[in-house]
Amino acid sequence: MSQIFDFYDYKNKVFSCNGVNLETIAKEVGTPAYIYSAEALVSNFNKLQKGLKGLNSLICFAMKSNSNLSVLRLLAEAGAGTDIVSGGELFRSHQAGVSAEKIVFSGVGKTKEEMKNGLTFQGKGIHSFNVESIAELFALNQVAKELHLKATVALRFNPDVDPKTHPYISTGIKKNKFGMDRAEIFNCLSHLKQLDHIRLEGISIHIGSQLLSLSPLKDAFERLAHLIEEIQHPIQFVDLGGGIGISYQLEQPPKIEDYCQLIHEVFGEKSKFNSKLKIILEPGRQISGNAGVLLTQILFRKQRRSQDFLIIDAAMNDLIRPALYGSYHEIVPIQAVHLEGKMKKTMVVGPVCESSDFIGKSRKLSQNLKSGDFLAILSAGAYGFTMSGQYNSRPRPPEVLIQNGNFRIVRKRESFEDLIQGELSSLRH
Ligand code: LLP
């Protein structure tokens, strides 16, 4: 395996994270289990922070990618806020100690209850709401009015650029449900006078996820810069969303330095805005993606002439990305000895009763891998656990954080009782 993941590698012939042996963890905690490297999370965050030096900036971690409280707390301590999309994520942010002025609320469908919770959060209200339609703007104004408060708002602009990513995670083209085009933004502005409880301070964008080129972002940023000049309303901040891709296989994602350079050029000190704008970012995958792996154990080998099946104990309910997007996740043996010797084309599948339940197709894996051996599924730190479910009544896996050469369980494995919580009371009749 080429060394594509900075914090994971073989040590004494066993796949390890920051020097911590992952086989030991698999045996102690059981499998499947999500593993996160604290060092990787903080280092990815710091890289971005460093690139933004000189700007008035705020990095709001897109916690939909990984919302474990210990992960959030770690990033909050490093200086991050959160980009949230639900009342549940607001609640988690509070539990993790994220401060109100570092939270931005995105999403096309906020309920009145969620608006209220955001406006009153920690007694002062969150930093801002990214508003995605005129209807939402009116609804937010109404909720703020009832509370005798003002809502700080960024209008989400849909710049209509093709991010050239998987269609399910593209958000910045006209046909997507997200954001507002130029005419819709102007329509919002024309109603501002009636909206006494809205304080319009920003414009936001987010064009898609797992972007592997900066050019659509450059287009989008330039369209945004143009819009800000056009609207003649005092704008204090721009929220540039997230979206920077990572390497799952051999992709070459944009360099963080180049991404930051682009931000400096379009919105920074030497731009036409000369440092007047605060810059907010909402990165998710770039921070958490390659910081995590999913550990799994082989249950059975099923031999076929064209290719073998390795049936593992992790399934699509634990990691849905391959089934949902056809995503590639590198699969490596925990014991380095299996990197050598005869390889065989292998389909790596879980126990769930669906043919879409695969983690890897046509992989070249050692013929000697057998029942009881452990594997690591890489790049599983983003949109892994957060998209997991209990399909086939499978309890969700635990989450483990590795920090300073030690590991600790930061979310325990669900039990069978956890599966029926909430249903028990209905059996009493
Ligand atoms: N901001 C907004 C408004 C978003 O919708 C998203 C992601 C982000 C920020 C963070 O994007 P990132 O930096 O992580 O690319 N489940 C899919 C990804 C869905 C992304 C949804 N929005 C996957 O597993 O690939």
Side-chain angles (χ1 to χ4, degrees):
M1 183 191 62
S2 59
Q3 226 244 282
I4 38 177
F5 307 106
D6 290 344
F7 297 86
Y8 291 88
D9 206 351
Y10 290 91
K11 186 182 168 199
N12 301 330
K13 304 207 167 201
V14 184
F15 198 60
S16 304
C17 170
N18 301 120
V20 179
N21 180 316
L22 292 188
E23 181 145 306
T24 310
I25 299 185
K27 285 182 177 157
E28 218 162 291
V29 173
T31 50
Y34 275 98
I35 310 293
Y36 310 129
S37 155
E39 278 81 2
L41 288 159
V42 172
S43 153
N44 292 339
F45 173 78
N46 285 343
K47 220 183 270 176
L48 200 51
Q49 182 94 298
K50 194 171 151 211
L52 297 176
K53 221 170 157 192
L55 295 172
N56 173 10
S57 66
L58 172 63
I59 300 174
C60 295
F61 175 56
M63 60 179 283
K64 62 172 80 68
S65 71
N66 190 320
S67 59
N68 182 281
L69 291 186
S70 299
V71 169
L72 295 183
R73 179 158 294 182
L74 190 72
L75 292 171
E77 279 165 5
T82 48
D83 161 44
I84 64 164
V85 287
S86 70
E89 288 192 347
L90 184 64
F91 173 74
R92 277 183 177 275
S93 295
H94 180 63
Q95 296 298 319
V98 181
S99 43
E101 64 276 8
K102 289 188 171 181
I103 299 176
V104 296
F105 200 154
S106 303
V108 288
K110 304 172 190 81
T111 65
K112 292 201 166 168
E113 192 62 24
E114 287 173 329
M115 292 175 182
K116 181 177 161 206
N117 291 346
L119 285 165
T120 56
F121 188 72
Q122 293 174 355
K124 44 191 161 179
I126 58 170
H127 179 281
S128 50
F129 291 83
N130 291 334
V131 168
E132 305 223 10
S133 63
I134 182 117
E136 184 190 336
L137 195 63
F138 272 89
L140 183 59
N141 183 65
Q142 185 57 33
V143 176
K145 183 174 175 183
E146 283 159 19
L147 296 165
H148 309 289
L149 293 170
K150 276 202 169 203
T152 305
V153 161
L155 297 177
R156 177 161 173 190
F157 174 45
N158 181 330
D160 194 26
V161 295
D162 183 356
K164 301 201 166 53
T165 183
H166 191 286
Y168 289 7
I169 54 177
S170 149
T171 51
I173 39 180
K174 236 183 195 154
K175 66 177 184 194
N176 297 139
K177 67 180 174 184
F178 299 97
M180 294 181 270
D181 64 18
R182 189 179 167 282
E184 289 171 299
I185 297 264
F186 275 91
N187 190 25
C188 287
L189 291 165
S190 71
H191 286 89
L192 266 189
K193 279 214 174 77
Q194 300 161 245
L195 299 166
D196 289 342
H197 295 266
I198 297 293
R199 200 187 293 122
L200 174 62
E201 289 190 0
I203 307 279
S204 72
I205 51 166
H206 171 77
I207 62 169
S209 197
Q210 182 56 10
L211 307 182
L212 292 173
S213 152
L214 283 182
S215 82
L217 278 173
K218 184 168 190 284
D219 273 5
F221 289 178
E222 281 166 0
R223 286 178 196 204
L224 170 61
H226 182 66
L227 182 79
I228 294 173
E229 285 187 306
E230 248 191 315
I231 61 178
Q232 297 189 341
H233 177 93
I235 291 299
Q236 331 260 320
F237 70 90
V238 283
D239 177 340
L240 303 177
I244 289 295
I246 59 166
S247 178
Y248 284 94
Q249 193 174 6
L250 293 169
E251 306 94 322
Q252 295 276 344
K255 288 203 180 74
I256 295 305
E257 299 76 23
D258 296 343
Y259 172 60
C260 293
Q261 178 63 26
L262 176 65
I263 296 173
H264 279 276
E265 273 165 26
V266 186
F267 300 105
E269 55 280 19
K270 292 198 188 94
S271 74
K272 51 193 167 203
F273 304 108
N274 52 40
S275 310
K276 283 202 293 273
L277 288 176
K278 175 173 174 178
I279 311 292
I280 298 178
L281 297 184
E282 303 170 351
R285 193 187 319 260
Q286 177 259 329
I287 290 178
S288 56
N290 281 332
V293 304
L294 176 59
L295 282 183
T296 182
Q297 188 170 33
I298 297 170
L299 297 173
F300 306 111
R301 175 180 287 272
K302 195 169 183 171
Q303 288 180 315
R304 291 266 169 84
R305 196 172 306 152
S306 59
Q307 70 169 343
D308 283 4
F309 286 87
L310 275 183
I311 300 157
I312 58 174
D313 65 1
M316 65 188 287
N317 73 295
D318 305 304
L319 179 67
I320 202 175
R321 301 192 70 258
L324 190 58
Y325 316 110
S327 309
Y328 184 97
H329 285 262
E330 194 72 66
I331 301 170
V332 300
I334 294 295
Q335 293 291 343
V337 61
H338 294 302
L339 294 172
E340 286 146 24
K342 221 165 171 207
M343 300 287 152
K344 182 156 191 204
K345 203 159 99 180
T346 309
M347 175 97 172
V348 183
V349 300
V352 160
C353 303
E354 299 227 15
S355 291
S356 61
D357 181 26
F358 63 89
I359 301 292
K361 281 180 170 168
S362 301
R363 299 301 174 86
K364 274 201 175 130
L365 289 169
S366 164
Q367 235 179 216
N368 299 326
L369 278 166
K370 57 179 188 314
S371 173
D373 288 336
F374 294 106
L375 302 172
I377 303 160
L378 307 190
S379 317
Y383 307 107
F385 186 88
T386 50
M387 293 181 83
S388 67
Q390 297 174 332
Y391 186 40
N392 280 205
S393 286
R394 289 169 50 85
R396 274 176 293 195
E399 298 179 287
V400 175
L401 188 68
I402 297 188
Q403 191 169 22
N404 301 326
N406 294 312
F407 73 91
R408 64 180 205 277
I409 296 173
V410 289
R411 180 185 164 110
K412 62 181 188 182
R413 184 183 304 284
E414 287 181 348
S415 64
F416 291 150
E417 284 69 30
D418 290 330
L419 294 177
I420 54 171
Q421 272 301 329
E423 294 173 44
L424 278 178
S425 57
S426 62
L427 289 180
R428 297 222 175 92
H429 301 287

